[in-house]
Amino acid sequence: MAPMKSERSQLKRAVRQLRRIRSFYAAATVLWAGSAALTSWQAAGSRQLTVCVALLAVFAALFVMASVALRRLGVTATAGRMRSRATTSTVPNAGGQAAA
């Protein structure tokens, strides 16, 4: 059975939110990786380094989880855009048959 229109809109919203938060997690991972590298160069073995590495691990795990969730939804980067273009028709009822 095909998903209802409200279910499709909720799925699209969830995909948009997952993409947005995934980019946030990627940026945070890069930030904490740089911070951990700088801290390890300045104060190796310090508490600050431990915190940086812990936060790096947390954001990396969150990034991976968001990526896996998007993959489970079966959405690629271009599939959503291509699918939306393919389903829209410029000529409604082009075949002259009654709409279903």
Side-chain angles (χ1 to χ4, degrees):
M1 180 173 206
M4 298 176 64
K5 186 170 183 156
S6 62
E7 291 174 355
R8 275 186 256 138
S9 64
Q10 287 177 350
L11 179 65
K12 287 180 184 179
R13 186 182 316 146
V15 167
R16 274 195 312 267
Q17 289 174 347
L18 273 172
R19 284 184 179 153
R20 192 176 304 137
I21 199 68
R22 184 179 62 170
S23 64
F24 173 78
Y25 291 152
T29 301
V30 169
L31 175 76
W32 286 111
S35 179
L38 183 64
T39 305
S40 69
W41 185 53
Q42 291 177 347
S46 66
R47 181 175 290 180
Q48 289 86 4
L49 178 62
T50 305
V51 170
C52 287
V53 170
L55 287 171
L56 172 64
V58 166
F59 280 108
L62 288 171
F63 175 75
V64 167
M65 288 171 41
S67 297
V68 167
L70 277 172
R71 185 174 297 242
R72 282 186 181 166
L73 290 174
V75 179
T76 61
T78 58
R81 287 181 288 223
M82 291 175 63
R83 207 174 295 138
S84 67
R85 287 186 194 145
T87 58
T88 58
S89 175
T90 56
V91 181
N93 201 7
Q97 290 127 4

